[in-house]
Amino acid sequence: MNILTFDSSEQLNEAGANIISGLVQTNPRAVLGLATGGTPVGIYSHLVGDYRRGLVSFRQVTTFNLDEYVGLPASHPESYSSYMQRHLFGHLDIPADRTYIPDGNAPDLEAECRRYEQLIDTAGQLDLQLLGLGHNGHIGFNEPSHALLRGTHVVTLAEETRKANARFFPTLQDVPQQAITMGVGTILQAKMIVLVVRGADKADIVHRALTGPIATECPASLLQTHPHLVVLLDKAAGSRLA
């Protein structure tokens, strides 16, 4: 585990983007697992800047998103499909047919989970998985539980998670109650995992996830078992690790 703490968000964003750009420069056909939410926005902005300056091309890259809401139209501004177009895909040279996001509107959600997992298997091992961290320790939408599912699956979102995401919606009632998410087993198979966490409100869960017991009640604690985990924190999020 390599934990890096930064004095500013700008430094953190640049470091995260440099890891991804460096991988793609070295391996133009890299397979990336991508996250959404507020955490990676600055990193994606830096990646777009790298592309516009001619430092990196994404023409041969393949991406798989961690998750997508169930029942939210892809055109909805808060769908993760819209998010990715707005913050990343719409500004790069990556072909649309190389970017994969679960279909939260599939008529058979279980079949969609199997299809998505098969797509990941066919693409080969993820070279890098980018992650954020939920207040309750969730990664992707893998919520705390007595047992965690390995592969892509449908999950009912915890109320705490829905409340945290309500800032993106008009009301809490507008936040979807379910999502499709990669399972922890799929995440842990990535060659490299980059966990990004910001803010004092995440300091306790960062400490628990990285130093506490490994337990499914804190899904992020399973990241301690990964052989190539890089953790990028701002000072506030890392304050309890000092």
Side-chain angles (χ1 to χ4, degrees):
M1 187 188 308
N2 187 9
I3 301 176
L4 303 174
T5 305
F6 298 89
D7 292 329
S8 70
S9 285
E10 182 65 17
Q11 290 174 339
L12 190 160
N13 293 335
E14 184 176 4
N18 285 346
I19 291 172
I20 297 172
S21 289
L23 170 62
V24 175
Q25 289 163 351
T26 302
N27 177 13
R29 301 184 66 84
V31 181
L32 305 177
L34 300 179
T36 52
T39 299
V41 170
I43 292 173
Y44 291 159
S45 179
H46 269 268
L47 285 176
V48 171
D50 288 347
Y51 163 69
R52 288 176 173 169
R53 289 192 298 273
L55 300 177
V56 64
S57 170
F58 292 83
R59 282 195 306 271
Q60 299 181 78
V61 168
T62 301
T63 68
F64 290 93
N65 264 72
L66 273 170
D67 40 38
E68 178 59 286
Y69 289 118
V70 167
L72 208 61
S75 60
H76 190 286
E78 296 309 327
S79 76
Y80 291 151
S81 180
S82 292
Y83 171 104
M84 294 305 299
Q85 286 297 321
R86 187 165 62 247
H87 291 294
L88 191 63
F89 296 155
H91 309 283
L92 303 179
D93 59 346
I94 188 168
D97 62 1
R98 300 187 74 91
T99 64
Y100 295 95
I101 301 174
D103 182 1
N105 293 286
D108 185 335
L109 294 177
E110 296 301 330
E112 171 61 12
C113 291
R114 293 192 296 271
R115 183 192 74 88
Y116 198 69
E117 191 71 21
Q118 184 58 55
L119 286 170
I120 297 171
D121 289 344
T122 300
Q125 190 176 15
L126 297 175
D127 292 293
L128 180 149
Q129 177 63 63
L130 184 65
L131 294 176
L133 176 63
H135 288 91
N136 62 2
H138 75 243
I139 48 176
F141 274 133
N142 293 280
E143 301 284 11
S145 177
H146 294 302
L148 297 175
L149 296 178
R150 176 196 174 281
T152 302
H153 61 282
V154 178
V155 62
T156 297
L157 302 179
E159 195 66 10
E160 183 177 3
T161 299
R162 294 183 66 243
K163 287 179 180 177
N165 289 352
R167 68 189 188 277
F168 300 117
F169 292 84
T171 70
L172 175 61
Q173 286 67 38
D174 294 306
V175 182
Q177 297 190 16
Q178 290 185 309
I180 295 176
T181 186
M182 282 188 201
V184 173
T186 304
I187 292 169
L188 290 175
Q189 285 182 337
K191 295 178 185 176
M192 177 183 186
I193 294 176
V194 178
L195 176 67
V196 182
V197 195
R198 310 171 192 267
D201 59 321
K202 297 284 183 72
D204 286 343
I205 194 61
V206 165
H207 182 265
R208 181 182 172 193
L210 300 182
T211 68
I214 298 173
T216 57
E217 285 78 8
C218 179
S221 68
L222 276 73
L223 297 176
Q224 295 179 43
T225 67
H226 197 274
H228 195 182
L229 172 65
V230 177
V231 183
L232 308 181
L233 307 171
D234 64 13
K235 272 194 167 180
S239 60
R240 288 208 56 204
L241 297 180

